[in-house]
Amino acid sequence: MQSNGASQGQESSELPCLNSAQNGESSSSAGGNHSNGLLSNADNGNGVGTSNGSSVGPCSGTSATSTASGSEVGSLKKKKRLSQTEEDVIRLIGQHLHGLGLNQTVDLLMQESGCRLEHPSASKFRNHVMEGEWDKAENDLNELRALMHSPNAIVRMKFLLLQQKYLEYLEDGKVLEALQVLRGELTPLKYNTDRIHVLSGYLMCSHADDLRAKAEWEGKGTASRSRLLDKLQTYLPPSVMLPPRRLHTLLRQAVELQRDRCLYHNTKLDNNLDSVSLLLDHVCSRKQFPCYTQQILTEHCNEVWFCKFSNDGTKLATGSKDTTVIIWQVDPESHQLKLLRTLEGHAYGVSYLAWSPDDTYLIACGPDDCSELWLWNVQTGELRTKMSQSHEDSLTSVAWNPDGKRFVTGGQRGQFYQCDLDGNLLDSWEGVRVQCLWCLSDGKTVLASDTHQRIRGYNFEDLTDRNIVQEDHPIMSFTVSKNGRLALLNVATQGVHLWDLQDRVLVRKYQGVTQGFYTIHSCFGGHNEDFIASGSEDHKVYIWHRRGELPIAELTGHTRTVNCVSWNPAIPGLMASASDDGTVRIWGPAPFLDSQEADGLNENSSNMDS
């Protein structure tokens, strides 16, 4: 089509208000306009002249142009019939162009291609709905009935029409007419009686604003009728009328699929098509991923057993065999870490740390032979509570209740306690040899892995327990996703396993990691927790995409077992790992990215530096 004003052999009428969804099949009618203003292809052999002398043959699949005189038009060979896919594409383009208001272009496209945007009956129906001619729209439904797959759909569509009619009468103050619609038309349908009761309540609205607010309705006019039309179109087959904004929907789905398949996509999802280029495939560079050592923290003087970012991502806590906990401050701009304060006096070393929900407190636990735990005020650096129930205890794990006022702790010698912030014992569960703990968001259920290679759920309110996960080997540690649905287990001699806690099924076994009988802590991470990271006895950090069993990155740099990995919950490109080599490594994107790489448009790099 030419943008310089192509004239048609006959006057084309502009499409009537095809608001965002159109449909149809190839037309076989000869010459002239459809009743809905859509041009059908002439079957009498006459081409459609354009101002530059081009001509279009009958039933042509693509525009056939000729620079010769008009006498040569008849010599043009008949073009092949369009395939179904080609017709669909033309209709999708036509629908999109019409949404942009390019109606003359749509007319010419339909005329040249011989396609029809939507069925004539659908066009009439659309016009009558948009113009508020409800009686005519109801009659149109009878014409559409034969074209529909579900006979019940007519009742639903009629109900939607009458509901709009009823609301518009009410808004206009025509209460008697609205009441007649309610009693004489909507009620006899015997459909969705609950909704009819709600609609009847709108009769009591004192003014139009009150009606619109209670009905959550835009009011009489183009907006509400367009929304109504979108609902009505869901009942019509696409051969009659295209679903609303169909091309936009397909493009958005394509973008989402490319993102889902992108191994390194680690930024916030934006469903707005304006935020991406449709001219290039979506590719995130590995250089944008936290695969590169940004910083090595060497302040600990012995093995580092645990690390954990605070819930707001502004701090990192690290626990070591050297009896100290170090709190690090994360710079919000450079993402560099600075030593904030050191918490000392943990005689047995620190093997586990847990931040309170509001990050005010930090609890530190020791190894198997430690009967104490320490509850620190992180903001002041003061020790609030040092708890020990018995010298025979082994308090090696802890988890906060979501209310931030209680925590549970336990160990392999059979202790399982619930305590307040002062260390006072609130409840206890006898005989549970706890390996690792987690409190679910319901505030009642505590998950505990034990020495029977299982995870059980314990309810401290009604004192019930149930089996959730059963493994064949010892569960050394586990963590739970933010939504409480998935659990990530480090299983002795097996590696990292992903379980669905709701369905109680093993979802995936991740390959590559070396896991013996050391306690190694893995984590979820990245935007939407799409990634999984774990330490390993082979001195590496492994990263997987949650949906794939093979690692997408193996990070080298540590020289001994990597005991724990923590992904920053607020900065998706920042990760920390703690190792027996006495260091904590901070991982981030490559230090230098050019503008193209920063936009994620370059190809993935196949190698990675530590």
Side-chain angles (χ1 to χ4, degrees), residues 13 44 104 113 169 183-184 194 198 264 282 318 336 369 416 423 447 453 505 577-578:
S13 60
N44 57 5
Q104 292 182 0
S113 64
Y169 274 151
R183 291 178 176 175
D194 290 340
V198 172
Y264 301 103
H282 173 87
T318 57
Q336 291 289 299
D369 51 355
F416 189 9
L447 302 184
Q453 305 168 4
V505 294
S577 58

Side-chain angles (χ1 to χ4, degrees), residues 130-194:
M130 294 305 297
E131 292 165 10
E133 298 183 9
W134 307 117
D135 293 339
K136 292 182 180 179
E138 281 189 64
N139 292 333
D140 295 334
L141 286 180
N142 295 325
E143 294 183 28
L144 292 170
R145 185 190 299 269
L147 303 171
M148 298 172 66
H149 301 311
S150 171
N152 295 330
I154 290 291
V155 176
R156 300 189 184 102
M157 293 176 74
K158 190 171 183 179
F159 185 90
L160 291 171
L161 281 176
L162 293 174
Q163 178 179 252
Q164 178 80 10
K165 180 180 178 180
Y166 168 77
L167 291 173
E168 291 194 8
Y169 274 151
L170 277 184
E171 187 184 40
D172 289 341
K174 300 177 180 178
V175 179
L176 292 178
E177 289 88 338
L179 192 59
Q180 174 58 33
V181 172
L182 187 68
R183 291 178 176 175
E185 299 182 71
L186 276 167
T187 303
L189 290 177
K190 297 180 180 179
Y191 174 76
N192 202 347
T193 52
D194 290 340

Side-chain angles (χ1 to χ4, degrees), residues 131-290:
E131 292 165 10
E133 298 183 9
W134 307 117
D135 293 339
K136 292 182 180 179
E138 281 189 64
N139 292 333
D140 295 334
L141 286 180
N142 295 325
E143 294 183 28
L144 292 170
R145 185 190 299 269
L147 303 171
M148 298 172 66
H149 301 311
S150 171
N152 295 330
I154 290 291
V155 176
R156 300 189 184 102
M157 293 176 74
K158 190 171 183 179
F159 185 90
L160 291 171
L161 281 176
L162 293 174
Q163 178 179 252
Q164 178 80 10
K165 180 180 178 180
Y166 168 77
L167 291 173
E168 291 194 8
Y169 274 151
L170 277 184
E171 187 184 40
D172 289 341
K174 300 177 180 178
V175 179
L176 292 178
E177 289 88 338
L179 192 59
Q180 174 58 33
V181 172
L182 187 68
R183 291 178 176 175
E185 299 182 71
L186 276 167
T187 303
L189 290 177
K190 297 180 180 179
Y191 174 76
N192 202 347
T193 52
D194 290 340
R195 178 61 179 166
I196 289 177
H197 290 316
V198 172
L199 292 173
S200 64
Y202 298 154
L203 287 165
M204 307 303 294
C205 292
S206 56
H207 49 79
D209 290 339
D210 188 27
L211 170 67
R212 288 191 289 267
K214 288 185 177 178
E216 298 180 351
W217 179 60
E218 298 96 327
K220 178 179 178 180
T222 303
S224 65
R225 291 172 183 175
S226 295
R227 191 180 296 273
L228 169 64
L229 201 56
D230 285 351
K231 293 179 182 177
L232 293 169
Q233 285 175 249
T234 61
Y235 297 103
L236 293 171
S239 58
V240 176
M241 185 181 287
L242 283 173
R245 295 169 289 280
R246 183 60 183 158
L247 181 59
H248 185 277
T249 300
L250 291 173
L251 292 173
R252 190 184 70 249
Q253 289 173 349
V255 170
E256 290 174 356
L257 181 62
Q258 288 188 20
R259 284 173 173 169
D260 287 343
R261 291 181 175 178
C262 178
L263 291 179
Y264 301 103
H265 189 77
N266 191 27
T267 56
K268 187 176 181 179
L269 294 177
D270 187 350
N271 291 327
N272 185 359
L273 288 180
D274 292 336
S275 66
V276 299
S277 171
L278 299 177
L279 307 181
L280 293 167
D281 285 345
H282 173 87
V283 180
C284 287
S285 170
R286 193 175 192 170
K287 293 182 179 180
Q288 298 169 260
F289 207 66

